[in-house]
Amino acid sequence: MAIVFFSRFPLLRRFPVSSPALPYSSSIQLNRRITISASISTAEESTSSSSSLIQHTLSRTRWKPMCLYFTQGKCTKMDDPMHIDKFNHNCSLEFMQNAARLENLRQQEFEYFLVLDLEGKVEILEFPVLLFDAKTLDVVDLFHRFVRPTKMHEERINQYIEGKYGKLGVDRVWHDTAVPFAEVIEQFEVWLSERQLWRNELGVCLNNAAFVTCGNWDLKTKVPQQCSVAGMKLPPYFNEWINLKDVFLNFYKRRAPGMLSMMRELQIPLSGSHHLGIDDSNNIARVIHHMLTDGALLQITAKRNPRSPEKVEFLFKNRII
């Protein structure tokens, strides 16, 4: 894989898939040779002007669940009309752009937002990240992995997954695709590097991008815990993030303690299954879309001390505890 060097030029607005989806098998192991085909993207390039935003409208069709093999680059049924009709294979948000609302847009500090919503209380079970373009107001790519617990025996894992994903009907997909957390992070770093969002040699913050979470738990608590369990150092790009709850509170002057309450306040209908990480990330992206068109500015709300990772500074005076 070629080494990617940063430049002062902005990233491309789209990240086209460069090779076919990986063949699926129940024992597949994605390794250091992971390719861009393991991520999802739309193929067209778009401009960043307001006029292109107005013209970039997506026809509203009946809602379909996301193909969870596709989100991980493992769908082998792309040529099956029945499968395509049943499942969604597009990470783009389903929104009709409103020209009047676009007048409220503000220049953001970051070009991209990495929308993250982890699942799993004992250990992380799902690691979904949507790449949201702050200028086109759309999801342009995603990284999604199911995560196999590091320190659980098989019987406990089965109970854990049945309790978490069985009721959502996606436990089979989890068992077919889940990989250990350390492997997930290795693949994620390749994904970041390919998109010029981070480079291991620099070992610092993200490049013109920021994580957005619904609360502090994901990056303040859970990722450090999981890194400890997996016997690995906390990657430096997890040292700062935007807690959307705090931005919401300071922008609208209204408390919304969770994703569902934010959606109710903004009159956004829930899409997909609540507590399926990839669906929750999509719903958070829809909240971000609405807030940006209202004129919100998404700023870093929390920073971790690199020398003392357990110490986190919260930057907003008014925040959700």
Side-chain angles (χ1 to χ4, degrees):
M1 181 180 71
I3 297 177
V4 179
F5 294 94
F6 292 140
S7 70
R8 296 183 180 177
F9 297 101
L11 294 173
L12 290 177
R13 294 277 165 215
R14 299 290 179 191
F15 307 97
V17 175
S18 60
S19 59
L22 295 174
Y24 166 72
S25 74
S26 59
S27 61
I28 188 168
Q29 294 292 325
L30 301 180
N31 54 31
R32 292 183 178 85
R33 297 182 61 192
I34 182 172
T35 66
I36 196 170
S37 65
S39 66
I40 311 306
S41 169
T42 52
E44 298 87 8
E45 291 187 2
S46 64
T47 66
S48 59
S49 65
S50 295
S51 61
S52 68
L53 280 173
I54 297 171
Q55 296 173 8
H56 178 60
T57 58
L58 299 171
S59 298
R60 191 78 176 175
T61 58
R62 65 179 176 85
W63 180 86
K64 296 186 290 186
M66 180 70 76
C67 173
L68 299 180
Y69 291 103
F70 178 73
T71 63
Q72 302 176 80
K74 299 178 183 179
C75 180
T76 61
K77 297 183 178 181
M78 296 297 291
D79 57 350
D80 183 343
M82 292 184 63
H83 177 77
I84 295 299
D85 182 65
K86 183 177 179 180
F87 293 101
N88 180 24
H89 295 76
N90 186 348
C91 66
S92 182
L93 296 176
E94 290 187 347
F95 275 113
M96 295 294 289
Q97 299 288 2
N98 185 316
R101 288 176 61 83
L102 294 177
E103 295 178 357
N104 297 324
L105 289 178
R106 298 178 63 181
Q107 180 70 38
Q108 298 295 314
E109 296 179 7
F110 300 97
E111 198 166 355
Y112 296 95
F113 298 119
L114 294 167
V115 185
L116 170 69
D117 191 77
L118 302 174
E119 291 295 333
K121 293 183 178 180
V122 181
E123 288 197 43
I124 293 175
L125 298 177
E126 188 179 355
F127 188 95
V129 179
L130 302 185
L131 184 59
F132 186 99
D133 189 313
K135 291 186 177 180
T136 67
L137 303 187
D138 202 3
V139 174
V140 295
D141 207 347
L142 67 82
F143 178 91
H144 182 221
R145 296 292 183 272
F146 287 113
V147 187
R148 178 166 289 278
T150 303
K151 293 189 176 181
M152 282 189 188
H153 56 76
E154 198 64 25
E155 182 179 356
R156 179 69 182 98
I157 288 177
N158 291 335
Q159 294 172 348
Y160 193 24
I161 297 309
E162 178 59 32
K164 169 64 180 175
Y165 288 116
K167 59 185 178 182
L168 301 178
V170 299
D171 48 326
R172 182 69 267 159
V173 181
W174 187 94
H175 283 291
D176 286 344
T177 62
V179 294
F181 182 73
E183 192 171 339
V184 170
I185 293 301
E186 183 179 273
Q187 295 171 15
F188 182 56
E189 292 183 354
V190 172
W191 184 85
L192 288 174
S193 179
E194 289 176 337
R195 282 140 195 84
Q196 302 183 39
L197 298 173
W198 181 77
R199 220 175 80 211
N200 187 45
E201 297 91 321
L202 298 179
V204 291
C205 297
L206 295 170
N207 178 41
N208 208 10
F211 283 103
V212 180
T213 59
C214 187
N216 293 309
W217 176 84
D218 300 79
L219 292 182
K220 177 182 180 292
T221 302
K222 199 60 196 175
V223 167
Q225 284 180 352
Q226 191 67 57
C227 286
S228 177
V229 169
M232 56 186 289
K233 291 183 178 180
L234 179 70
Y237 45 78
F238 288 133
N239 281 344
E240 63 179 31
W241 61 92
I242 298 169
N243 177 359
L244 199 61
K245 295 180 184 179
D246 292 348
V247 178
F248 189 100
L249 171 64
N250 284 271
F251 180 67
Y252 291 112
K253 310 304 180 186
R254 304 196 301 269
R255 289 178 60 86
M259 181 193 78
L260 294 180
S261 58
M262 282 191 281
M263 296 182 75
R264 282 194 298 269
E265 288 279 350
L266 300 179
Q267 299 182 8
I268 301 173
L270 183 69
S271 177
S273 299
H274 188 32
H275 295 313
L276 178 60
I278 190 66
D279 284 352
D280 283 351
S281 296
N282 180 268
N283 282 313
I284 293 170
R286 295 165 72 219
V287 172
I288 292 172
H289 179 285
H290 195 291
M291 292 179 65
L292 293 183
T293 58
D294 277 350
L297 178 65
L298 270 60
Q299 299 172 292
I300 295 295
T301 64
K303 287 187 176 183
R304 180 177 281 110
N305 187 325
R307 291 181 294 275
S308 301
E310 71 281 358
K311 296 180 180 179
V312 175
E313 178 186 6
F314 299 104
L315 306 182
F316 279 33
K317 181 179 179 180
N318 297 321
R319 62 189 187 90
I320 303 290
I321 304 298

